[in-house]
Amino acid sequence: MEKKTLSSNRKAYYNYEILEKLETGIILSGYEVKSARQSNVSLVDSIVRFSDGEAFAENMFIALYEQISTHIADYDAKRKRKLLMHKSEIKKMRAKVKEKGLTVIPLEVYVGNRGKIKLLIGLAKGKKTYNKKEAIKKKDIEREMAREY
């Protein structure tokens, strides 16, 4: 089965320099899975936080499933969602975040090769404003070069 991308955080690549990537599982309820498979997911302004030896994705928006049952009245689209990671991975990421002032952000939500919904997270370092401007200039130059050929 092929990897199908449901949502990606393109803004993260602009605002951060991604140092390390890691694939994690994510705990979702049934109606969230159905909504996510319809690509009703947004990773804008989402972040990964660590507490009590566990990792959580916060501010990750999953829209309400259209055909949801009426017994679910208090749906929170931006609730904390637990990530499935090994303890050693959590310790390693948490230590880097505390020590070096880095952050962990979700980069992509996709359906893995076994049909499970996965979250690609990245250890990131914030870019300075002048670095962002240089990236834009470089992209413009590459675009111009491509047009000429």
Side-chain angles (χ1 to χ4, degrees), residues 55-131:
F56 294 94
E58 295 181 0
N59 251 0
M60 185 174 130
F61 179 83
I62 298 180
L64 182 65
Y65 184 57
E66 293 172 1
Q67 299 165 342
I68 196 168
S69 177
T70 56
H71 75 278
I72 300 170
D74 58 339
Y75 177 69
D76 183 15
K78 289 193 172 190
R79 71 176 178 86
K80 287 172 49 171
R81 292 172 176 90
K82 186 175 176 183
L83 301 180
L84 302 172
M85 299 170 64
H86 293 285
K87 290 285 183 191
S88 60
E89 293 171 339
I90 292 173
K91 282 183 182 178
K92 185 175 126 184
M93 286 280 202
R94 191 174 191 174
K96 287 183 180 179
V97 167
K98 279 187 174 181
E99 180 183 315
K100 298 179 184 174
L102 304 174
T103 186
V104 181
I105 51 174
L107 300 172
E108 188 177 336
V109 177
Y110 58 92
V111 179
N113 40 354
R114 290 188 172 181
K116 306 283 185 193
I117 293 186
K118 300 287 183 178
L119 182 68
L120 181 69
I121 61 173
L123 187 64
K125 179 181 180 181
K127 283 186 184 177
K128 304 286 185 205
T129 307
Y130 59 87
N131 288 342

Side-chain angles (χ1 to χ4, degrees), residues 1-8 22-43 57 60-63 65 75 79 81-85 106-121:
M1 195 172 182
E2 193 175 310
K3 176 180 143 178
K4 179 188 174 202
T5 302
L6 302 173
S7 178
S8 63
L22 180 69
E23 178 184 271
T24 65
I26 184 167
I27 296 180
L28 300 173
S29 51
Y31 49 88
E32 287 178 325
V33 172
K34 289 181 178 186
S35 183
R37 285 185 184 269
Q38 293 177 346
S39 298
N40 293 332
V41 181
S42 175
L43 298 175
M60 185 174 130
F61 179 83
I62 298 180
Y65 184 57
Y75 177 69
R79 71 176 178 86
R81 292 172 176 90
K82 186 175 176 183
L83 301 180
L84 302 172
M85 299 170 64
L107 300 172
E108 188 177 336
V109 177
Y110 58 92
V111 179
N113 40 354
R114 290 188 172 181
K116 306 283 185 193
I117 293 186
K118 300 287 183 178
L119 182 68
L120 181 69
I121 61 173

